[in-house]
Amino acid sequence: MSAATLSPMERLPAPPPSSPSLAVAPVAAMSAPAADLPPSRPIIDIDHVDFFYGQSQALHDVSLRLDEKKVTAFIGPSGCGKSTLLRCLNRMNDLIDGARVAKGSIRIRGIDIHAPAVDVIELRKRVGMVFQKSNPFPKSIYENITYGLRLQGVKDKGRLDAVVEKSLRGAALWDEVKDRLHASGLGLSGGQQQRLCIARAIAVEPDIILMDEPCSALDPISTSKVEELIHELKKEFTIVIVTHNMQQAARCSDQTAFFYLGRLIEFAATRTIFMNPSNPQTEAYVSGRFG
Amino acid sequence: MASTRIPPSPETQADATPAATSAGFLANKARFRFFGLTLDGCIKAFFGGNAVVAVLVLTLITIFLFKEGGGFFAQNRANLQIYRQAGLEYVDFIRAQTTGHTALTHELSDLRLRQFHRLTEAGKSLAEANAALAGFDEFANQFGDAIIPLRGLLSDLTETATALKSKFATTENLKIARQQLLAAGKTAEADKIVISEVNFDAELKPLLGTLPAYQAASAETAAKITAALTVKPALPTPELQARLEQFKMLAAAYVADFPAVEKNLRAWDYRQPVPFFRSITSFIFGRDWIAQSSWQEWYGILPLFVGSLMVSFVALLFAVPLGIGAAIYINQLASPAEQRIVKPCIEFISAIPSVVLGFFGVIFLGENLRLLSQQSWLAWVPGFPFSERLNILTAGCLLALIAVPTIFTLAEDSLNNVPRAFKEASFALGASRLQTIIKVIVPASLSGIISAVLLGLGRVIGETMVVLLCAGNRIAIPDFTAGLAVITQPVHTMTGLIAQEMGEVPVGSIGRHALFMIGLVLFFLSLLINWLAQKIVRRYRIAID
Amino acid sequence: MTSPTATHFAPRPGLGRTWERGALWLFRVATYFIVLCGAFVFGQIFWRGAPTVFTAHAPFVNVAFFTEAPESLHVFAYQGEKMELGDRAFNAFKAAHADAGAIKDDSYVYSAGGIFPCIVGTMLLVAGSMGIALFLGVSSAIYLNEYARDSAFVRFIRLAILNLAGVPSIVFGLFGFGMFVIFFGWNVSLLAGWFTLAFMVLPVVITASEESLKAVPKGFREGSLALGATKWQTIRKNVLPYALPGILTSSILGIARVAGETAPIMFTAAYVVRDKLPWEGLEKWTDFFFQGVMALPYHIYVVSSKIPQNEYTARVQYGTAFVFLLIVALIASTSIVLRSRLRNRYKW
């Protein structure tokens, strides 16, 4: 291959091939700013994962540990595999033909989620998800939120009412919609719809909430509301957020993982990633030189 | 269940053990299971099972058509075998000879009719015209009477052969009855049935013994015809004279063929077995479909197949230009308001049930087309005027109305799929609308249009009620010597024949099996058309990419 | 040359222009010719059929035509007066008039009375076969659209559906006759007709259902699954309810097809004439399914091919065709209208 056709991958220093530096280094990096972050234990343990869509490999040997009740941001240019990894965490990739984890394992609370004994339905109850495009069901707000609970067989009206209020308050939507709980969820504005989806996700009380570019379709005001919400939510939930917007990652996450071409380049506390990245690729990306 | 849990990695183990219960997404819940499937698995299997129905139906159609039609060839062979064994074939050699003569006499009577017209047009009265034709009549009568000796022989032989055939049929029936009794365990009653095998050798003796009589009759006929041909009646115009000369040549050739017939008769041997492939070829290439005849049943699909093709061809002749023209107009030229109104209208036509169209043809279109054809200003149209109100043209017009919505909808779809950029690029180069349509849009969607036409053909060839009611139902290959006028002749079609005869043929009879064979032909024909259409569309997709 | 632009862009009259205009007009003529032909068939049948179906005085509809069974029409002259009476009326007339025994009458079968049994039969056939077809078709579509992954087997199923759609209706009739009537021994019966017709419209229903299922956004499924719903819960609560209106309206087109086809029921379900209505004289309730019925399309076939045409028979011929065409046209236009309205309503 001639020098003129060098891919960015080759121009930039390749990520360390062996796992110890990656798997351990982030932990070390994370423990370094222990002074400003409360100590916590890992809830998600991604271990040397190779992921394929049919023949094409989307993730190369990714290892990561995410902490409980923290916000972790996945950043990186389009097609770098961040969404793929996110969708691995609650096995939404199962729905795609030919998608598979070829190597490695993902453990949540120590349990390999791809093990045959794991019930994917139960897994998804524990690991909620908010999508890029807000997708409220064409039902009333009330029914949108109670959907998950009703699936679990909860019929008690009092309890459902309580959950609706709690979830809507949790999603900072209660005051805006409390008078029209039985109006269609499709009648809300874009930002409200997305918060409704978040309320819907937290109504089933998951441990982890995955957010796949939740603000990419929202205007700045709605975005800031959702970001505030994320801040509130991390008191109770572990949050993993995929974002294109580096300011957003800087504003609302505790730890940040930078992906590039299907590889994890760097994983550290958000401040470290943005102020003092150890990898030149990361620096190039966060300073806006490519991506 | 918990034992199947994969041990967590050493570094997380300390955390994992207490947390495992709270994670709670192991399948440690006792889920409902049925044959080792979870509820969701069962539901999926249920839906999957339903999805297979389409495959199942297609398979069952094939199986049942083969099951009911499969016995046909064996039965047809037996049918042909007895045709030979009972001497029917022998008799038919002679019959062909008399049929040839009949055709020649038809020619003569046509000649007479024309002369007569000519004479009356020239101002002669009927009596005068008849008198003028006396010479010709004498000639014609002489020619006509020449066949009498042969015809007498033929009717005797026909009786003999028919008797032998029915004797054989009776024996066969007795055999079946006996077998049924034996199967039912009634041995005593079965033994009472006396079966005397037909001795063809002996029974055919009288038939074959007529050969000298045939020779005599044949020679007499030949002599009479030759004698008749020496007469030279004068005809009024050179044109008719030429036709008479031609007739004489035909007649001479006909007589010259007599020795060949005799040779056939001599060489004929009832013991010669009928090979199995004859059963198949007589189905595929047979020019007669005569079911339930006292003489011999013939099952040749050719007239029906040709009938179906002719009707479909006429239908497409109208439907293709109209359907594609309308598709181009609606897709490329019409205003949005026009599109909104006209498109559903055309689609709506497809909702007219075919039996209503057939009814319309019987009660209105057939008669009115016939009246129209008799208008003198339309005499230039080939085949006009015609007298049969139900014919290929009537059925074809109505079938066109059935094919148009199919062709229109599919062609419009494929025009719609042409990327806008093609059109814009063409306009940008200064092409006019017509040029753009002809040079860019239509070629780009050509395979879609072709497959639309093919599916229209499939629709038309499988259509039953319209052809049953309006095609005239005459089982014969139309006379192609008439040129384009052939489209005003009545035909019968494959679909129409099935619908017409299905209710009348008894269970297990060769006639019913034959109908199912037609069904098989139709079935595979439709699969073939479908396959072709799909193949063309698929190629087109690749081309666009 | 004072104003070059004006001359450059001015239209150039010429042969090409005229040709082009002519050709474009040809396309327009073709389009409207088709519409006219269709309208003419409709118009002719409505125009000639209306006098049979409607009456000049209240209730403006020929009630007898809709509520009575077909009868023979007897035409005769009595005391210098021309009379036209149906079977029952004719017998009553003969009983009432002692001297009527010697009347010479011309009788025309099916030309009096009404078509009530045919309407009933057609409705029964449509209801049963659409029930079966919807059940099988919607289930197939759910499997193909929700569960199936792209595999050789699924491609094979799709191929089969595509091919099934092209099989001529008479072949379905032969198949139904061979399988249900003969092999299963159901004889000419409702049940045999139901299954034959259901298999015939199956491709229509499957295609319509799949289209409607596809129109439900993917987000509904993902959102539901991400909340821990099982596949079936997702389909039942969050996909089917939104697809169902589309499935049903598109399937109405299937109804038009089922109601309109004659060839498949000719040897499987239809009787030329049957005195009893389907619910009369049943010994067991199961007998209901094993009886043949009269059907409108078959009746039209019978009256248009098996009886002579004259002023007396034409009335019932056109009347039956009118009613039948009206029913089918109503069904079809309902489908077309509902479908376009639905498309406008559901925009996710």
Side-chain angles (χ1 to χ4, degrees), chain C residues 272-301:
Chain C
V272 175
V273 65
R274 189 164 187 268
D275 294 335
K276 280 187 235 158
L277 286 167
W279 49 81
E280 286 173 355
L282 296 178
E283 285 176 19
K284 300 191 299 280
W285 64 271
T286 48
D287 285 353
F288 181 78
F289 300 102
F290 294 101
Q291 60 177 343
V293 291
M294 293 181 75
L296 269 177
Y298 192 56
H299 192 66
I300 292 178
Y301 165 64

Side-chain angles (χ1 to χ4, degrees), chain C residues 61-208:
Chain C
V61 172
N62 187 349
V63 178
F65 191 64
F66 285 99
T67 55
E68 285 176 11
E71 287 177 3
S72 293
L73 180 73
H74 298 268
V75 180
F76 56 93
Y78 179 72
Q79 294 177 347
E81 212 178 320
K82 194 175 163 203
M83 312 271 291
E84 293 173 23
L85 292 177
D87 268 334
R88 281 173 301 158
F90 182 59
N91 287 337
F93 180 82
K94 279 209 280 197
H97 299 76
D99 58 338
I103 296 175
K104 280 259 182 239
D105 70 304
D106 294 321
S107 73
Y108 303 96
V109 279
Y110 310 131
S111 299
I115 50 170
F116 181 59
C118 308
I119 298 178
V120 168
T122 290
M123 281 181 172
L124 282 176
L125 281 171
V126 167
S129 55
M130 278 317 284
I132 297 169
L134 274 176
F135 178 79
L136 291 174
V138 174
S139 304
S140 300
I142 288 178
Y143 177 77
L144 290 174
N145 201 50
E146 306 292 324
Y147 285 101
R149 303 268 167 104
D150 189 40
S151 68
F153 177 62
V154 170
R155 276 199 296 277
F156 183 63
I157 291 180
R158 288 187 190 281
L159 193 70
I161 293 169
L162 218 58
N163 280 312
L164 203 58
V167 173
S169 56
I170 186 91
V171 174
F172 277 103
L174 278 181
F175 158 68
F177 179 75
M179 177 151 158
F180 303 121
V181 177
I182 304 280
F183 187 70
F184 288 178
W186 291 352
N187 293 323
V188 173
S189 63
L190 263 183
L191 208 56
W194 282 351
F195 277 98
T196 309
L197 288 172
F199 287 158
M200 189 191 71
V201 287
L202 198 58
V204 178
V205 177
I206 293 178
T207 316

Side-chain angles (χ1 to χ4, degrees), chain A residues 87 90 92 94-97 121 124-125 127-129 131 135-139 147 151 186 200-201 204, chain C residues 148-150 218-231 233-235 237-238 241-242 348:
Chain A
R87 291 170 66 94
N90 67 346
M92 286 303 273
D94 288 12
L95 305 177
I96 297 166
D97 272 348
I121 306 302
R124 290 188 190 138
K125 282 183 194 160
V127 185
M129 189 160 190
F131 296 85
N135 57 353
F137 305 140
K139 305 172 189 280
Y147 182 85
L151 290 178
L186 290 173
R200 193 174 68 187
V204 291
Chain C
R149 303 268 167 104
D150 189 40
K218 217 171 121 199
F220 289 13
R221 299 182 181 90
E222 287 190 333
S224 172
L225 287 172
L227 288 171
T230 63
K231 194 111 195 173
Q233 284 170 328
T234 301
I235 293 167
K237 297 213 162 140
N238 232 4
Y242 309 120
W348 285 293

Side-chain angles (χ1 to χ4, degrees), chain A residues 116-185:
Chain A
V118 165
D119 188 65
V120 67
I121 306 302
E122 293 297 323
L123 170 69
R124 290 188 190 138
K125 282 183 194 160
R126 313 306 319 156
V127 185
M129 189 160 190
V130 176
F131 296 85
Q132 179 172 8
K133 190 169 173 288
S134 64
N135 57 353
F137 305 140
K139 305 172 189 280
S140 70
I141 294 169
Y142 185 90
E143 279 177 80
N144 259 292
I145 291 175
T146 54
Y147 182 85
L149 286 176
R150 283 184 202 265
L151 290 178
Q152 294 171 25
V154 177
K155 291 202 180 71
D156 176 16
K157 181 90 168 68
R159 185 168 160 212
L160 290 177
D161 287 347
V163 168
V164 167
E165 179 168 355
K166 182 167 167 248
S167 311
L168 283 173
R169 281 189 194 284
L173 197 58
W174 175 251
D175 293 330
E176 292 164 57
V177 301
K178 65 183 176 208
D179 301 325
R180 45 175 176 147
L181 287 178
H182 293 282
S184 168

